[in-house]
CSV table of all heavy atoms in Angstrom, one decimal:
chain,number,residue,atom,x,y,z
V,1,MET,N,4.3,-9.6,8.0
V,1,MET,CA,3.4,-8.4,8.1
V,1,MET,C,2.6,-8.5,6.8
V,1,MET,O,2.7,-7.7,5.9
V,1,MET,CB,4.3,-7.2,7.9
V,1,MET,CG,5.0,-6.9,9.2
V,1,MET,SD,6.0,-5.4,9.0
V,1,MET,CE,7.6,-5.9,9.3
V,2,ALA,N,1.6,-9.3,6.8
V,2,ALA,CA,0.7,-9.5,5.6
V,2,ALA,C,-0.5,-8.6,5.7
V,2,ALA,O,-0.9,-8.1,6.6
V,2,ALA,CB,0.2,-10.9,5.7
V,3,ILE,N,-0.8,-8.2,4.5
V,3,ILE,CA,-2.1,-7.3,4.3
V,3,ILE,C,-3.1,-8.3,3.7
V,3,ILE,O,-2.9,-9.0,2.6
V,3,ILE,CB,-1.8,-6.3,3.2
V,3,ILE,CG1,-0.7,-5.3,3.7
V,3,ILE,CG2,-3.1,-5.5,3.0
V,3,ILE,CD1,-0.2,-4.3,2.7
V,4,THR,N,-4.2,-8.5,4.4
V,4,THR,CA,-5.2,-9.5,4.0
V,4,THR,C,-6.5,-8.9,3.8
V,4,THR,O,-6.9,-7.8,4.5
V,4,THR,CB,-5.4,-10.6,5.0
V,4,THR,OG1,-5.8,-10.0,6.2
V,4,THR,CG2,-4.0,-11.4,5.2
V,5,ARG,N,-7.4,-9.4,2.8
V,5,ARG,CA,-8.7,-9.0,2.7
V,5,ARG,C,-9.6,-9.8,3.5
V,5,ARG,O,-10.6,-9.4,4.1
V,5,ARG,CB,-9.1,-9.1,1.2
V,5,ARG,CG,-8.5,-8.0,0.3
V,5,ARG,CD,-9.2,-7.9,-1.0
V,5,ARG,NE,-8.5,-6.9,-1.7
V,5,ARG,CZ,-8.0,-7.1,-2.9
V,5,ARG,NH1,-8.1,-8.2,-3.5
V,5,ARG,NH2,-7.4,-6.1,-3.6
V,6,THR,N,-9.3,-11.0,3.5
V,6,THR,CA,-10.1,-12.1,4.3
V,6,THR,C,-9.1,-13.0,4.9
V,6,THR,O,-7.9,-13.0,4.5
V,6,THR,CB,-11.1,-12.8,3.4
V,6,THR,OG1,-10.4,-13.6,2.5
V,6,THR,CG2,-12.1,-11.9,2.8
V,7,ARG,N,-9.5,-14.0,5.7
V,7,ARG,CA,-8.5,-14.9,6.2
V,7,ARG,C,-7.9,-15.8,5.1
V,7,ARG,O,-6.8,-16.2,5.1
V,7,ARG,CB,-9.2,-16.0,7.1
V,7,ARG,CG,-9.5,-15.4,8.4
V,7,ARG,CD,-10.1,-16.4,9.4
V,7,ARG,NE,-10.5,-15.7,10.5
V,7,ARG,CZ,-11.1,-16.4,11.5
V,7,ARG,NH1,-11.3,-17.6,11.4
V,7,ARG,NH2,-11.6,-15.7,12.5
V,8,GLU,N,-8.7,-16.0,3.9
V,8,GLU,CA,-8.2,-16.9,2.9
V,8,GLU,C,-7.4,-16.1,1.8
V,8,GLU,O,-6.8,-16.7,1.0
V,8,GLU,CB,-9.5,-17.4,2.2
V,8,GLU,CG,-10.2,-18.4,3.1
V,8,GLU,CD,-11.2,-17.7,4.0
V,8,GLU,OE1,-11.6,-16.6,3.6
V,8,GLU,OE2,-11.5,-18.3,5.1
V,9,VAL,N,-7.5,-14.7,1.8
V,9,VAL,CA,-6.9,-13.9,0.7
V,9,VAL,C,-5.8,-13.0,1.3
V,9,VAL,O,-6.2,-12.0,1.9
V,9,VAL,CB,-8.0,-13.2,0.0
V,9,VAL,CG1,-7.4,-12.3,-1.2
V,9,VAL,CG2,-9.0,-14.1,-0.7
V,10,THR,N,-4.6,-13.2,1.0
V,10,THR,CA,-3.5,-12.4,1.3
V,10,THR,C,-3.2,-11.5,0.2
V,10,THR,O,-3.0,-12.0,-0.9
V,10,THR,CB,-2.3,-13.1,1.8
V,10,THR,OG1,-2.6,-13.9,3.0
V,10,THR,CG2,-1.2,-12.2,2.1
V,11,VAL,N,-3.3,-10.2,0.3
V,11,VAL,CA,-3.0,-9.3,-0.8
V,11,VAL,C,-1.6,-9.1,-1.0
V,11,VAL,O,-1.1,-9.2,-2.2
V,11,VAL,CB,-3.6,-8.0,-0.5
V,11,VAL,CG1,-3.4,-6.9,-1.6
V,11,VAL,CG2,-5.2,-8.0,-0.3
V,12,ALA,N,-0.8,-8.9,0.1
V,12,ALA,CA,0.7,-8.7,0.0
V,12,ALA,C,1.3,-9.1,1.3
V,12,ALA,O,0.6,-9.1,2.3
V,12,ALA,CB,1.0,-7.3,-0.4
V,13,ASP,N,2.6,-9.5,1.2
V,13,ASP,CA,3.3,-9.8,2.4
V,13,ASP,C,4.7,-9.3,2.3
V,13,ASP,O,5.2,-9.1,1.1
V,13,ASP,CB,3.3,-11.3,2.7
V,13,ASP,CG,3.6,-11.7,4.1
V,13,ASP,OD1,3.8,-10.8,5.0
V,13,ASP,OD2,3.6,-12.9,4.4
V,14,ALA,N,5.4,-9.0,3.4
V,14,ALA,CA,6.8,-8.5,3.3
V,14,ALA,C,7.4,-8.9,4.6
V,14,ALA,O,6.8,-9.0,5.7
V,14,ALA,CB,6.8,-7.0,3.2
V,15,TRP,N,8.7,-9.2,4.5
V,15,TRP,CA,9.5,-9.7,5.6
V,15,TRP,C,11.0,-9.4,5.4
V,15,TRP,O,11.4,-9.4,4.3
V,15,TRP,CB,9.2,-11.1,5.9
V,15,TRP,CG,9.6,-12.1,4.9
V,15,TRP,CD1,10.8,-12.6,4.7
V,15,TRP,CD2,8.8,-12.5,3.8
V,15,TRP,NE1,10.8,-13.4,3.5
V,15,TRP,CE2,9.6,-13.3,3.0
V,15,TRP,CE3,7.5,-12.2,3.4
V,15,TRP,CZ2,9.1,-14.0,1.8
V,15,TRP,CZ3,7.0,-12.8,2.2
V,15,TRP,CH2,7.8,-13.7,1.4
V,16,ALA,N,11.7,-9.2,6.5
V,16,ALA,CA,13.1,-9.0,6.4
V,16,ALA,C,13.7,-10.4,5.9
V,16,ALA,O,13.4,-11.4,6.5
V,16,ALA,CB,13.7,-8.7,7.8
V,17,ASN,N,14.6,-10.4,5.0
V,17,ASN,CA,15.1,-11.6,4.5
V,17,ASN,C,16.6,-11.8,5.0
V,17,ASN,O,17.2,-11.0,5.7
V,17,ASN,CB,15.1,-11.7,3.0
V,17,ASN,CG,15.9,-10.6,2.3
V,17,ASN,OD1,16.9,-10.1,2.8
V,17,ASN,ND2,15.4,-10.1,1.2
V,18,ASP,N,17.2,-12.9,4.7
V,18,ASP,CA,18.5,-13.3,5.2
V,18,ASP,C,19.7,-12.6,4.4
V,18,ASP,O,20.8,-12.7,4.8
V,18,ASP,CB,18.8,-14.8,5.0
V,18,ASP,CG,17.8,-15.6,5.8
V,18,ASP,OD1,17.4,-15.1,6.9
V,18,ASP,OD2,17.6,-16.8,5.5
V,19,GLU,N,19.3,-11.8,3.5
V,19,GLU,CA,20.4,-11.0,2.7
V,19,GLU,C,20.4,-9.6,3.2
V,19,GLU,O,20.7,-8.7,2.4
V,19,GLU,CB,20.1,-11.1,1.1
V,19,GLU,CG,20.4,-12.4,0.6
V,19,GLU,CD,19.3,-13.4,0.8
V,19,GLU,OE1,18.0,-13.0,0.7
V,19,GLU,OE2,19.5,-14.6,1.0
V,20,ASP,N,19.9,-9.3,4.3
V,20,ASP,CA,19.9,-7.9,4.9
V,20,ASP,C,19.0,-7.0,4.1
V,20,ASP,O,19.2,-5.9,3.9
V,20,ASP,CB,21.2,-7.3,5.0
V,20,ASP,CG,22.1,-8.0,6.1
V,20,ASP,OD1,21.5,-8.5,7.1
V,20,ASP,OD2,23.3,-8.1,5.9
V,21,GLY,N,17.8,-7.5,3.5
V,21,GLY,CA,16.9,-6.8,2.8
V,21,GLY,C,15.6,-7.1,3.2
V,21,GLY,O,15.3,-7.6,4.2
V,22,VAL,N,14.7,-6.9,2.2
V,22,VAL,CA,13.2,-7.1,2.4
V,22,VAL,C,12.7,-7.9,1.3
V,22,VAL,O,13.0,-7.6,0.1
V,22,VAL,CB,12.4,-5.8,2.5
V,22,VAL,CG1,11.0,-6.0,2.6
V,22,VAL,CG2,13.0,-4.9,3.7
V,23,THR,N,11.9,-8.9,1.6
V,23,THR,CA,11.3,-9.7,0.5
V,23,THR,C,9.8,-9.2,0.5
V,23,THR,O,9.1,-9.2,1.5
V,23,THR,CB,11.3,-11.2,0.8
V,23,THR,OG1,12.7,-11.6,0.7
V,23,THR,CG2,10.6,-12.0,-0.3
V,24,LEU,N,9.4,-8.9,-0.7
V,24,LEU,CA,8.0,-8.4,-1.0
V,24,LEU,C,7.3,-9.4,-1.8
V,24,LEU,O,7.9,-9.9,-2.8
V,24,LEU,CB,7.9,-7.1,-1.6
V,24,LEU,CG,6.6,-6.5,-2.0
V,24,LEU,CD1,5.7,-6.2,-0.8
V,24,LEU,CD2,6.7,-5.2,-2.9
V,25,GLU,N,6.1,-9.9,-1.3
V,25,GLU,CA,5.3,-10.9,-2.2
V,25,GLU,C,3.9,-10.4,-2.3
V,25,GLU,O,3.2,-9.9,-1.4
V,25,GLU,CB,5.3,-12.2,-1.4
V,25,GLU,CG,4.7,-13.4,-2.1
V,25,GLU,CD,4.9,-14.6,-1.2
V,25,GLU,OE1,4.2,-14.8,-0.2
V,25,GLU,OE2,5.6,-15.5,-1.8
V,26,ALA,N,3.5,-10.4,-3.5
V,26,ALA,CA,2.1,-9.9,-4.0
V,26,ALA,C,1.6,-10.9,-5.1
V,26,ALA,O,2.2,-11.0,-6.1
V,26,ALA,CB,2.1,-8.6,-4.4
V,27,GLY,N,0.5,-11.6,-4.8
V,27,GLY,CA,0.1,-12.5,-5.7
V,27,GLY,C,1.1,-13.7,-6.0
V,27,GLY,O,1.7,-14.3,-5.1
V,28,ASP,N,1.5,-13.9,-7.2
V,28,ASP,CA,2.4,-14.9,-7.6
V,28,ASP,C,3.8,-14.3,-7.7
V,28,ASP,O,4.8,-14.9,-8.0
V,28,ASP,CB,2.1,-15.6,-8.9
V,28,ASP,CG,0.8,-16.4,-8.8
V,28,ASP,OD1,0.6,-16.9,-7.7
V,28,ASP,OD2,0.1,-16.6,-9.8
V,29,ALA,N,4.0,-13.0,-7.5
V,29,ALA,CA,5.3,-12.3,-7.7
V,29,ALA,C,6.0,-12.2,-6.3
V,29,ALA,O,5.4,-11.9,-5.3
V,29,ALA,CB,5.0,-10.9,-8.2
V,30,ARG,N,7.3,-12.4,-6.4
V,30,ARG,CA,8.1,-12.2,-5.2
V,30,ARG,C,9.4,-11.5,-5.6
V,30,ARG,O,10.1,-11.9,-6.6
V,30,ARG,CB,8.4,-13.5,-4.6
V,30,ARG,CG,9.3,-13.4,-3.3
V,30,ARG,CD,9.7,-14.7,-2.8
V,30,ARG,NE,8.5,-15.3,-2.1
V,30,ARG,CZ,8.6,-16.4,-1.4
V,30,ARG,NH1,9.8,-17.1,-1.2
V,30,ARG,NH2,7.6,-17.0,-0.7
V,31,VAL,N,9.8,-10.4,-4.8
V,31,VAL,CA,11.0,-9.7,-5.3
V,31,VAL,C,11.8,-9.3,-3.9
V,31,VAL,O,11.1,-9.1,-2.9
V,31,VAL,CB,10.6,-8.4,-6.0
V,31,VAL,CG1,9.7,-7.4,-5.1
V,31,VAL,CG2,11.8,-7.6,-6.4
V,32,ALA,N,13.0,-9.4,-4.0
V,32,ALA,CA,13.9,-8.9,-2.9
V,32,ALA,C,14.4,-7.5,-3.2
V,32,ALA,O,14.8,-7.2,-4.2
V,32,ALA,CB,15.2,-9.9,-2.9
V,33,LEU,N,14.2,-6.7,-2.1
V,33,LEU,CA,14.5,-5.2,-2.2
V,33,LEU,C,15.6,-5.0,-1.2
V,33,LEU,O,15.7,-5.7,-0.1
V,33,LEU,CB,13.4,-4.4,-1.9
V,33,LEU,CG,12.0,-4.6,-2.6
V,33,LEU,CD1,11.0,-3.8,-2.1
V,33,LEU,CD2,12.3,-4.2,-4.1
V,34,THR,N,16.5,-4.0,-1.5
V,34,THR,CA,17.4,-3.5,-0.5
V,34,THR,C,16.5,-2.7,0.6
V,34,THR,O,15.3,-2.4,0.3
V,34,THR,CB,18.5,-2.6,-1.1
V,34,THR,OG1,17.8,-1.4,-1.6
V,34,THR,CG2,19.2,-3.2,-2.1
V,35,VAL,N,17.1,-2.4,1.7
V,35,VAL,CA,16.4,-1.6,2.7
V,35,VAL,C,16.0,-0.2,2.1
V,35,VAL,O,14.8,0.2,2.3
V,35,VAL,CB,17.2,-1.4,4.0
V,35,VAL,CG1,16.6,-0.4,4.9
V,35,VAL,CG2,17.5,-2.8,4.6
V,36,GLU,N,16.9,0.4,1.4
V,36,GLU,CA,16.6,1.6,0.7
V,36,GLU,C,15.4,1.6,-0.2
V,36,GLU,O,14.6,2.4,-0.3
V,36,GLU,CB,17.8,2.2,0.0
V,36,GLU,CG,19.0,2.6,1.0
V,36,GLU,CD,19.9,1.4,1.4
V,36,GLU,OE1,19.7,0.3,0.9
V,36,GLU,OE2,20.6,1.6,2.4
V,37,GLU,N,15.5,0.5,-1.1
V,37,GLU,CA,14.4,0.2,-2.0
V,37,GLU,C,13.0,0.0,-1.4
V,37,GLU,O,12.0,0.5,-1.8
V,37,GLU,CB,14.7,-0.9,-3.0
V,37,GLU,CG,15.8,-0.6,-4.0
V,37,GLU,CD,16.3,-1.9,-4.6
V,37,GLU,OE1,16.0,-3.0,-4.1
V,37,GLU,OE2,16.8,-1.8,-5.7
V,38,ALA,N,13.1,-0.8,-0.2
V,38,ALA,CA,11.9,-1.0,0.5
V,38,ALA,C,11.3,0.3,1.1
V,38,ALA,O,10.1,0.6,1.0
V,38,ALA,CB,12.1,-2.1,1.6
V,39,HIS,N,12.2,1.1,1.6
V,39,HIS,CA,11.7,2.5,2.1
V,39,HIS,C,11.1,3.3,1.0
V,39,HIS,O,10.0,3.9,1.2
V,39,HIS,CB,12.9,3.3,2.8
V,39,HIS,CG,13.2,2.8,4.2
V,39,HIS,ND1,12.5,3.1,5.3
V,39,HIS,CD2,14.2,2.0,4.6
V,39,HIS,CE1,13.0,2.5,6.3
V,39,HIS,NE2,14.0,1.9,6.0
V,40,ALA,N,11.7,3.4,-0.1
V,40,ALA,CA,11.2,4.1,-1.2
V,40,ALA,C,9.8,3.6,-1.7
V,40,ALA,O,8.9,4.4,-2.1
V,40,ALA,CB,12.2,4.2,-2.4
V,41,TYR,N,9.7,2.2,-1.9
V,41,TYR,CA,8.5,1.6,-2.3
V,41,TYR,C,7.4,1.9,-1.3
V,41,TYR,O,6.3,2.2,-1.6
V,41,TYR,CB,8.8,0.1,-2.4
V,41,TYR,CG,7.5,-0.6,-3.0
V,41,TYR,CD1,7.1,-0.5,-4.3
V,41,TYR,CD2,6.7,-1.3,-2.2
V,41,TYR,CE1,6.0,-1.1,-4.8
V,41,TYR,CE2,5.6,-2.0,-2.6
V,41,TYR,CZ,5.2,-1.8,-3.9
V,41,TYR,OH,4.1,-2.5,-4.4
V,42,GLY,N,7.7,1.8,0.0
V,42,GLY,CA,6.7,2.1,1.1
V,42,GLY,C,6.2,3.6,0.9
V,42,GLY,O,5.0,3.9,1.0
V,43,GLN,N,7.1,4.5,0.7
V,43,GLN,CA,6.7,5.9,0.5
V,43,GLN,C,5.8,6.0,-0.7
V,43,GLN,O,4.9,6.8,-0.7
V,43,GLN,CB,8.0,6.7,0.3
V,43,GLN,CG,7.7,8.2,0.2
V,43,GLN,CD,7.0,8.8,1.5
V,43,GLN,OE1,7.4,8.4,2.6
V,43,GLN,NE2,6.0,9.7,1.4
V,44,LEU,N,6.2,5.4,-1.8
V,44,LEU,CA,5.3,5.4,-3.1
V,44,LEU,C,3.9,4.9,-2.7
V,44,LEU,O,2.9,5.5,-3.1
V,44,LEU,CB,5.9,4.6,-4.2
V,44,LEU,CG,7.2,5.2,-4.8
V,44,LEU,CD1,7.7,4.3,-5.8
V,44,LEU,CD2,6.8,6.5,-5.6
V,45,VAL,N,3.8,3.7,-2.0
V,45,VAL,CA,2.5,3.2,-1.7
V,45,VAL,C,1.7,4.2,-0.8
V,45,VAL,O,0.5,4.4,-1.1
V,45,VAL,CB,2.7,1.9,-1.0
V,45,VAL,CG1,1.4,1.4,-0.4
V,45,VAL,CG2,3.3,0.9,-1.9
V,46,MET,N,2.4,4.8,0.1
V,46,MET,CA,1.7,5.7,1.0
V,46,MET,C,1.1,6.9,0.2
V,46,MET,O,0.0,7.5,0.3
V,46,MET,CB,2.6,6.3,2.1
V,46,MET,CG,2.8,5.2,3.2
V,46,MET,SD,1.4,4.6,4.0
V,46,MET,CE,0.9,6.1,4.8
V,47,GLU,N,1.9,7.5,-0.7
V,47,GLU,CA,1.5,8.6,-1.6
V,47,GLU,C,0.4,8.2,-2.5
V,47,GLU,O,-0.5,9.0,-2.7
V,47,GLU,CB,2.8,9.1,-2.4
V,47,GLU,CG,3.8,9.8,-1.5
V,47,GLU,CD,5.1,10.2,-2.2
V,47,GLU,OE1,5.1,10.1,-3.5
V,47,GLU,OE2,6.0,10.6,-1.7
V,48,ALA,N,0.5,7.1,-3.1
V,48,ALA,CA,-0.6,6.6,-3.9
V,48,ALA,C,-1.9,6.4,-3.1
V,48,ALA,O,-3.0,6.8,-3.6
V,48,ALA,CB,-0.2,5.3,-4.6
V,49,ALA,N,-1.8,6.0,-1.9
V,49,ALA,CA,-3.0,5.8,-1.2
V,49,ALA,C,-3.5,7.1,-0.7
V,49,ALA,O,-4.8,7.3,-0.7
V,49,ALA,CB,-2.7,5.0,0.2
V,50,LEU,N,-2.8,8.1,-0.3
V,50,LEU,CA,-3.3,9.4,-0.2
V,50,LEU,C,-3.9,10.0,-1.3
V,50,LEU,O,-5.0,10.7,-1.2
V,50,LEU,CB,-2.1,10.3,0.4
V,50,LEU,CG,-1.6,10.0,1.8
V,50,LEU,CD1,-0.3,10.8,2.0
V,50,LEU,CD2,-2.6,10.3,2.8
V,51,GLU,N,-3.3,9.8,-2.6
V,51,GLU,CA,-4.0,10.4,-3.7
V,51,GLU,C,-5.3,9.8,-4.0
V,51,GLU,O,-6.3,10.4,-4.4
V,51,GLU,CB,-3.1,10.1,-4.9
V,51,GLU,CG,-1.8,11.0,-5.0
V,51,GLU,CD,-0.9,10.8,-6.1
V,51,GLU,OE1,-1.3,10.1,-7.1
V,51,GLU,OE2,0.2,11.2,-6.0
V,52,ALA,N,-5.4,8.3,-3.8
V,52,ALA,CA,-6.6,7.7,-4.0
V,52,ALA,C,-7.7,8.2,-2.9
V,52,ALA,O,-8.9,8.4,-3.3
V,52,ALA,CB,-6.4,6.1,-3.9
V,53,SER,N,-7.3,8.4,-1.8
V,53,SER,CA,-8.2,8.9,-0.8
V,53,SER,C,-8.8,10.2,-1.1
V,53,SER,O,-10.0,10.4,-1.0
V,53,SER,CB,-7.6,8.9,0.6
V,53,SER,OG,-7.3,7.7,1.1
V,54,GLN,N,-7.9,11.0,-1.6
V,54,GLN,CA,-8.3,12.4,-2.0
V,54,GLN,C,-9.3,12.3,-3.1
V,54,GLN,O,-10.3,13.0,-3.2
V,54,GLN,CB,-7.1,13.3,-2.4
V,54,GLN,CG,-7.5,14.7,-2.7
V,54,GLN,CD,-8.1,15.5,-1.6
V,54,GLN,OE1,-7.8,15.3,-0.4
V,54,GLN,NE2,-9.0,16.5,-1.9
V,55,ALA,N,-9.0,11.5,-4.1
V,55,ALA,CA,-9.9,11.4,-5.3
V,55,ALA,C,-11.2,10.9,-4.9
V,55,ALA,O,-12.3,11.3,-5.3
V,55,ALA,CB,-9.3,10.4,-6.3
V,56,ILE,N,-11.3,9.8,-3.9
V,56,ILE,CA,-12.6,9.4,-3.4
V,56,ILE,C,-13.4,10.5,-2.7
V,56,ILE,O,-14.6,10.7,-2.9
V,56,ILE,CB,-12.4,8.2,-2.5
V,56,ILE,CG1,-11.9,7.0,-3.3
V,56,ILE,CG2,-13.7,7.8,-1.7
V,56,ILE,CD1,-11.3,5.9,-2.4
V,57,ARG,N,-12.7,11.3,-1.8
V,57,ARG,CA,-13.4,12.3,-1.1
V,57,ARG,C,-13.9,13.4,-2.1
V,57,ARG,O,-15.1,13.8,-2.0
V,57,ARG,CB,-12.4,13.1,-0.2
V,57,ARG,CG,-12.2,12.3,1.1
V,57,ARG,CD,-11.5,13.2,2.1
V,57,ARG,NE,-10.2,13.7,1.7
V,57,ARG,CZ,-9.1,12.9,1.9
V,57,ARG,NH1,-9.2,11.7,2.5
V,57,ARG,NH2,-7.9,13.3,1.5
V,58,GLU,N,-13.1,13.7,-3.1
V,58,GLU,CA,-13.6,14.7,-4.1
V,58,GLU,C,-14.7,14.2,-4.9
V,58,GLU,O,-15.7,15.0,-5.3
V,58,GLU,CB,-12.4,15.1,-5.1
V,58,GLU,CG,-11.4,15.9,-4.4
V,58,GLU,CD,-10.1,16.2,-5.2
V,58,GLU,OE1,-10.1,15.7,-6.4
V,58,GLU,OE2,-9.1,16.8,-4.7
V,59,ARG,N,-14.7,12.9,-5.3
V,59,ARG,CA,-15.8,12.3,-6.0
V,59,ARG,C,-17.2,12.3,-5.2
V,59,ARG,O,-18.2,12.5,-5.7
V,59,ARG,CB,-15.4,11.0,-6.4
V,59,ARG,CG,-16.5,10.4,-7.4
V,59,ARG,CD,-15.9,9.0,-8.0
V,59,ARG,NE,-15.5,8.0,-7.0
V,59,ARG,CZ,-14.4,7.6,-6.7
V,59,ARG,NH1,-13.4,7.8,-7.6
V,59,ARG,NH2,-14.1,6.6,-5.8
V,60,ASN,N,-17.0,12.2,-3.9
V,60,ASN,CA,-18.2,12.2,-3.0
V,60,ASN,C,-18.7,13.4,-2.5
V,60,ASN,O,-19.7,13.5,-1.8
V,60,ASN,CB,-17.9,11.1,-1.9
V,60,ASN,CG,-17.7,9.8,-2.2
V,60,ASN,OD1,-18.3,9.3,-3.3
V,60,ASN,ND2,-16.8,9.1,-1.5
V,61,VAL,N,-18.0,14.5,-2.9
V,61,VAL,CA,-18.5,15.8,-2.5
V,61,VAL,C,-19.8,16.1,-3.2
V,61,VAL,O,-19.9,16.1,-4.4
V,61,VAL,CB,-17.5,17.0,-2.7
V,61,VAL,CG1,-18.1,18.3,-2.5
V,61,VAL,CG2,-16.3,16.6,-1.9
V,62,ARG,N,-20.8,16.7,-2.5
V,62,ARG,CA,-22.1,17.0,-3.1
V,62,ARG,C,-22.0,18.5,-3.5
V,62,ARG,O,-21.4,19.3,-2.9
V,62,ARG,CB,-23.2,16.8,-2.1
V,62,ARG,CG,-23.4,15.4,-1.7
V,62,ARG,CD,-24.4,15.2,-0.6
V,62,ARG,NE,-24.3,13.9,-0.1
V,62,ARG,CZ,-25.3,13.1,0.1
V,62,ARG,NH1,-26.6,13.6,-0.3
V,62,ARG,NH2,-25.3,11.9,0.5
V,63,PRO,N,-22.7,18.8,-4.6
V,63,PRO,CA,-22.7,20.2,-5.1
V,63,PRO,C,-23.1,21.2,-4.0
V,63,PRO,O,-24.1,20.9,-3.3
V,63,PRO,CB,-23.6,20.2,-6.2
V,63,PRO,CG,-23.7,18.8,-6.8
V,63,PRO,CD,-23.4,17.9,-5.5
V,64,GLY,N,-22.4,22.1,-3.8
V,64,GLY,CA,-22.7,23.2,-2.8
V,64,GLY,C,-22.2,22.9,-1.4
V,64,GLY,O,-22.3,23.6,-0.4
V,65,ASP,N,-21.6,21.7,-1.1
V,65,ASP,CA,-21.1,21.2,0.1
V,65,ASP,C,-19.8,21.9,0.3
V,65,ASP,O,-18.8,21.6,-0.3
V,65,ASP,CB,-21.0,19.7,0.2
V,65,ASP,CG,-20.6,19.3,1.6
V,65,ASP,OD1,-20.3,20.1,2.5
V,65,ASP,OD2,-20.5,18.0,1.8
V,66,THR,N,-19.7,22.8,1.3
V,66,THR,CA,-18.4,23.4,1.6
V,66,THR,C,-17.7,22.8,2.8
V,66,THR,O,-16.6,23.3,3.2
V,66,THR,CB,-18.6,24.9,1.8
V,66,THR,OG1,-19.4,25.1,2.9
V,66,THR,CG2,-19.1,25.6,0.6
V,67,THR,N,-18.2,21.8,3.5
V,67,THR,CA,-17.7,21.2,4.6
V,67,THR,C,-16.8,20.0,4.4
V,67,THR,O,-16.1,19.5,5.3
V,67,THR,CB,-18.7,20.8,5.6
V,67,THR,OG1,-19.5,19.8,5.0
V,67,THR,CG2,-19.6,21.9,6.0
V,68,ALA,N,-16.7,19.5,3.1
V,68,ALA,CA,-16.1,18.3,2.8
V,68,ALA,C,-14.5,18.4,2.6
V,68,ALA,O,-13.9,17.5,2.3
V,68,ALA,CB,-16.7,17.6,1.5
V,69,HIS,N,-14.0,19.6,2.7
V,69,HIS,CA,-12.6,19.8,2.4
V,69,HIS,C,-11.8,19.7,3.6
V,69,HIS,O,-11.3,19.7,4.4
V,69,HIS,CB,-12.4,21.2,1.7
V,69,HIS,CG,-13.1,21.3,0.3
V,69,HIS,ND1,-12.6,20.6,-0.8
V,69,HIS,CD2,-14.2,21.9,0.0
V,69,HIS,CE1,-13.4,20.9,-1.7
V,69,HIS,NE2,-14.4,21.6,-1.3
């Protein structure tokens, strides 16, 4: 389940490992997580992405625009 920017650049990858957990790899870093840790990490990533999306929308609102919310 890789996240890629281009065919040549993989941003992150994750897979079920042989220890009944999840291996997460990003850049040169690799970490083994329990299932619970993987769920919590996934939730944190989703929340951060939502916050970033909201910040982008707010930054792109033009003065007087009431339709962007």
Side-chain angles (χ1 to χ4, degrees):
M1 292 186 237
I3 300 169
T4 59
R5 287 196 181 124
T6 66
R7 286 186 192 179
E8 297 80 28
V9 178
T10 298
V11 177
D13 199 359
W15 59 91
N17 63 32
D18 294 336
E19 289 82 39
D20 295 328
V22 174
T23 298
L24 174 64
E25 185 175 67
D28 293 332
R30 183 182 283 189
V31 63
L33 304 172
T34 65
V35 171
E36 293 80 11
E37 290 167 336
H39 281 283
Y41 184 74
Q43 184 65 38
L44 287 173
V45 170
M46 292 298 298
E47 289 173 11
L50 289 171
E51 288 177 18
S53 294
Q54 181 64 32
I56 291 167
R57 280 193 299 275
E58 289 174 1
R59 187 173 56 240
N60 292 330
V61 172
R62 295 173 194 233
D65 185 358
T66 60
T67 62
H69 297 285

